Amino acid sequence: MATFIFIHGGFHGGWCWHKVTARLEAQGHRAIAPDMPGHGIDPTPRHTVTMDLIVSRLCELIDSIEGQVVLVGHSLGGAVISNIAERRPEKIERLYYVTAFLLPNGDSTHGTLQRRKKGGPESGLSDDGAQLLPSLDSVRELFYHLCSEDDVALAKMLLVPENAVVALGPVSVTPERWGSIPRYFVECTADRAIPPELQRKMHVEMGCARYWEIPAEHSPFFSQPDALVEILLTR
């Protein structure tokens, strides 16, 4: 039995993984979906949240768990799990990037998105210079267009602004530490937030032991939980 730790993406919280964690726990695994600082019900003031703070807090969680863990990152959470793996390679059994940012050393999610903006679809994000938040009118088309109305309603109630500085936080990885951990990628072929061609580019350039394609949008934890669980349990 494995211990899975699920790292959500921007604007979300651990709540978004509830279908996946329930299915894994029903099969006897341990599944933990923490809120990043300033997300979900975590009380950290949002304006204080940085990539370094997120990674430090999650490393503390991992240090409290006996044995190795499997890290699963979604979207922005991909950059987070890379940074965690670099700091705690001995604690990580394997890494799963679920339509997530799989970035080279020194890059950031903001930098990656800026480079592909020309001619790309609008993200629907509003930016006040300090925080980002999707327009609630746009989130269905951006994140959830294959999800149920119930899932969309839940997300609209729970999404929170993202401190813009988090997306500027660089990934710090080395071949000796992060690079020593097996990594896997789940492509979501209907994603409108991180297009499939960008997903493919990242995991081809960074190298993965294996990848899967599933017909999901940006939120397979809602629309394809069974397929996601099957992948996570495939070695």
Side-chain angles (χ1 to χ4, degrees), residues 15-68:
W15 51 266
C16 70
W17 296 105
H18 69 97
K19 294 182 183 181
V20 176
T21 57
R23 284 161 170 77
L24 286 169
E25 288 172 347
Q27 297 190 48
H29 298 279
R30 187 180 184 189
I32 303 168
D35 292 324
M36 294 194 294
H39 298 73
I41 61 172
D42 183 90
T44 305
R46 201 165 294 120
H47 70 276
T48 68
V49 177
T50 63
M51 176 65 77
D52 182 69
L53 177 63
I54 290 170
V55 173
S56 296
R57 290 273 189 90
L58 292 171
C59 282
E60 290 175 5
L61 169 63
I62 290 170
D63 290 342
S64 72
I65 296 171
E66 185 177 353
Q68 289 189 309

Side-chain angles (χ1 to χ4, degrees), residues 7 36 50-59 62 71 73 76-90 92 95 97 101-109 165-174 177-179 181 206:
I7 307 303
M36 294 194 294
T50 63
M51 176 65 77
D52 182 69
L53 177 63
I54 290 170
V55 173
S56 296
R57 290 273 189 90
L58 292 171
C59 282
I62 290 170
L71 282 185
L76 175 66
V80 174
I81 68 170
S82 290
N83 281 326
I84 293 172
E86 178 68 16
R87 295 193 193 183
R88 299 291 191 276
E90 72 284 353
I92 313 303
L95 297 163
Y97 294 82
F101 288 96
L102 176 52
L103 305 175
N105 183 59
D107 206 351
S108 67
T109 59
V165 73
V166 174
L168 295 170
V171 165
S172 177
V173 292
T174 61
R177 296 176 68 81
W178 166 85
I181 304 168
M206 295 302 291

Side-chain angles (χ1 to χ4, degrees), residues 8-13 15 39 125 132-134 143 158-162:
H8 61 82
F11 319 113
H12 291 70
W15 51 266
H39 298 73
L125 301 182
L132 307 170
L133 181 64
F143 296 148
L158 297 175
L159 292 172
V160 298
E162 187 71 50

